[in-house]
Amino acid sequence: MSKETSLHGVHKGLGALFTDFAGWSMPIRYSSELAEHKAVRETAGLFDLSHMAEIEVTGPQAADVLDFALVGNLSGVKPGRARYTMICDETGGVLDDLVVYRLADEKFLVVANAGNAAVVAEALAERVSGFDAVVDNKSEDVALIAVQGPKAVEILGAVTDADLGALKYYASVPAVVKGHDVLLARTGYTGEDGFELYVPAGEAPAVWRILTEAGEPHGLLPAGLACRDTLRLEAGMPLYGNELSLQLSPYEAGLGRVVKFEKPNDFVGKAALEELSKKDVPRVRVGLKGSGRRAPRHGYTVLSGETEIGEVTSGALSPTLGYPIAMAYVDREHSEPGTELSVDIRGRIEPVEVVALPFYSRA
Amino acid sequence: MSIPQDLKYTKEHEWLNVVDGVATVGITAFAAESLGDIVFVQLPSVGDTVTAGEVFGEVESTKSVSELYAPVDGEVVEVNGATTDTPELINSDPYAEGWLLKVRLSGDVPALLDAQAYAVLTQEN
């Protein structure tokens, strides 16, 4: 039996089609995933992301324990700001990618992927040992609602007194949305401007309703996981389980910049990551652009001539761009933008070109 | 979801309308809804033969690919080019504008589901 978010009844009322995702029953789409995708690019979309895990780390050494437990320099993050980072194992393999909000000097909120919630919570609980800090998994109590798209500011601005103009990308602020206390963050996973609202689970249906009403005149649509995936793919953002895994380090993923060796103290995975940082990894993440309508998909083989040189990790016919796009891991010598490769699409060899990520950037 | 009473259905979610030995073939609203927005369809050419139970084409949505299985033996006498140009017709009008093929039967019509039996099948899914 899949877990349900506090918004499940709302989704049912909207006629959502559900899918099991990481043990959660989540809306995959409400009507048309292409319409939802377009809404996020052109007006706004409303997402339920309550399956994500929220883990609070508090105490005098909260920053220190996160510096030790994660690859980023969290003590260098100012209160009110957020950071994209990763948690690795001793070998440098990625346990999960995370967004960490510093809420106060001694208080952080770590947001993990639903599928890795237990792994991250356990790793943090283990790594806090010896530090004067407390790790508290708040996932059950916290719902997460995202408003993403060019109209997000107008929609949210109508229902909160928070100064949205002053809220920078990757920043958060406690705010009130028509009487409901939320943590309002300017973060997202769609390549658009937008906000994520951390809400007490019981209040999520009310906040969803408020945002729906405020969004109606702007064309806001409820948006499911199907369009979330095509949006993040166009934005070149990695998905754990596709572009990231325990078998890969941040370097293969092209995300070595998140590893901060200049931190004063040791951190889990440091020795292995230092070794990896010194050499060229054999395979790297690239973008592929196809022609026609057939999309390379997860698991398909990438070829140079007749030689297998990589594998597709995510792909779709880009709803915004109108041509097939994919991310893949390919041998380093074939990773330069402009390189002509091909993908075996169910027995048909279709040409693709290596292109720089992201595929889509908002104007 | 509507299931037209006058059509026959396969367990693989195709529909058939046989008139004077020619079967018009499409996929059901249930199949189209399950796939999501269809963005690509690959169909055989006029003159190709299809064999019952074998793959004759594929439909691709944003998230998935499905093979199309021929419900009958026969020769393709017409292909709905509108669906290859505008695959979303399969979502918006699966039983009319979104038809896929017309096949001149070369053998008997196999045992198929009627609307009621197909309704039971989709409820089980």
Side-chain angles (χ1 to χ4, degrees), chain A residues 31 49 61 63 71 75 93 113 117 134 143 151 181 220 235 242 268 297 300 337 346:
Chain A
S31 54
L49 307 174
Q61 286 192 293
V71 301
S75 57
N113 285 298
V134 175
K151 296 287 185 187
D181 288 321
L220 172 131
N242 289 43
V268 180
R297 290 173 187 269
Y300 291 8
R346 302 183 297 284

Side-chain angles (χ1 to χ4, degrees), chain A residues 17 28-29 31-35 226 229-230 293-295 297 300 315-317 319 346 348, chain B residues 32-40 42 58 60-65 67 84-85 87-88:
Chain A
L17 189 75
I28 187 157
R29 64 174 173 273
S31 54
S32 148
E33 67 265 24
L34 292 177
D229 195 46
T230 47
R293 309 280 293 173
R294 266 175 219 268
R297 290 173 187 269
Y300 291 8
L317 178 67
R346 302 183 297 284
R348 284 169 193 256
Chain B
E33 170 74 17
S34 310
L35 280 164
D37 291 323
I38 294 168
V39 294
F40 176 80
Q42 171 75 32
E58 59 186 34
E60 199 163 331
S61 67
T62 308
K63 287 299 284 176
S64 61
V65 182
E67 292 182 320
T84 45
D85 295 340
E88 55 267 35

Side-chain angles (χ1 to χ4, degrees), chain A residues 5-296:
Chain A
T5 76
S6 56
L7 288 162
H8 194 82
V10 174
H11 304 319
K12 275 181 110 166
L14 289 166
L17 189 75
F18 291 90
T19 185
D20 184 88
F21 183 82
W24 291 84
S25 174
M26 298 301 292
I28 187 157
R29 64 174 173 273
Y30 299 84
S31 54
S32 148
E33 67 265 24
L34 292 177
E36 292 164 23
H37 183 111
K38 193 163 176 256
V40 174
R41 289 279 179 254
E42 294 178 2
T43 58
L46 187 62
F47 295 86
D48 176 15
L49 307 174
S50 302
H51 59 315
M52 305 285 286
E54 293 85 10
I55 302 163
E56 251 179 30
V57 181
T58 50
Q61 286 192 293
D64 299 321
V65 69
L66 290 176
D67 277 352
F68 169 70
L70 314 180
V71 301
N73 181 12
L74 284 304
S75 57
V77 178
K78 292 191 173 70
R81 300 307 304 267
R83 193 63 57 82
Y84 176 77
T85 186
M86 291 181 187
I87 181 166
C88 288
D89 70 359
E90 288 288 353
T91 71
V94 179
L95 287 168
D96 201 10
D97 63 336
L98 308 165
V99 175
V100 179
Y101 301 90
R102 188 169 202 171
L103 305 180
D105 277 337
E106 299 186 359
K107 187 175 184 181
F108 292 80
L109 182 68
V110 176
V111 180
N113 285 298
N116 293 326
V119 170
V120 174
E122 276 166 34
L124 288 177
E126 208 170 280
R127 294 176 190 187
V128 76
S129 164
F131 288 89
D132 187 2
V134 175
V135 173
D136 189 4
N137 190 346
K138 296 281 201 187
S139 302
E140 296 283 316
D141 311 325
V142 176
L144 175 56
I145 298 172
V147 189
Q148 299 279 302
K151 296 287 185 187
V153 171
E154 279 176 73
I155 292 165
L156 207 58
V159 294
T160 181
D161 290 337
D163 184 356
L164 300 180
L167 190 64
K168 292 179 177 151
Y169 188 51
Y170 265 72
S172 73
V173 66
V176 179
V177 172
K178 287 213 169 176
H180 300 275
D181 288 321
V182 306
L183 176 70
L184 176 60
R186 200 165 205 153
T187 45
Y189 191 53
T190 60
E192 294 302 325
D193 187 15
F195 301 90
E196 295 183 308
L197 291 81
Y198 296 87
V199 185
E203 295 174 49
V207 173
W208 180 278
R209 202 161 45 242
I210 290 163
L211 292 168
T212 299
E213 280 167 19
E216 213 157 36
H218 298 284
L220 172 131
L221 287 183
L225 292 187
C227 79
R228 187 169 161 82
D229 195 46
T230 47
L231 289 159
R232 69 95 198 164
L233 173 62
E234 287 181 345
M237 293 171 170
L239 173 66
Y240 197 90
N242 289 43
E243 285 74 37
L244 298 173
S245 78
L246 198 50
Q247 282 69 48
L248 294 167
S249 78
Y251 295 101
E252 282 94 348
L255 297 167
R257 61 188 153 79
V258 305
V259 183
K260 303 295 184 192
F261 294 114
E262 61 273 29
K263 288 193 280 188
N265 298 320
D266 191 23
F267 60 93
V268 180
K270 183 181 182 184
L273 289 164
E274 255 172 348
E275 280 302 304
L276 288 164
S277 72
K278 287 175 195 155
K279 48 189 178 196
D280 284 343
V281 287
R283 277 199 174 180
V284 290
R285 181 168 65 108
V286 297
L288 301 176
K289 174 186 174 181
S291 49
R293 309 280 293 173
R294 266 175 219 268

Side-chain angles (χ1 to χ4, degrees), chain B residues 10 12 17 24 34 36-37 42-43 45 48 60 68 77 86 88 96-97 99 108 123:
Chain B
T10 70
E12 288 76 33
N17 185 22
T24 304
S34 310
D37 291 323
Q42 171 75 32
L43 297 174
S45 305
D48 288 355
E60 199 163 331
L68 297 166
V77 291
T86 318
E88 55 267 35
E97 295 291 314
W99 66 275
D108 297 334
Q123 272 154 23

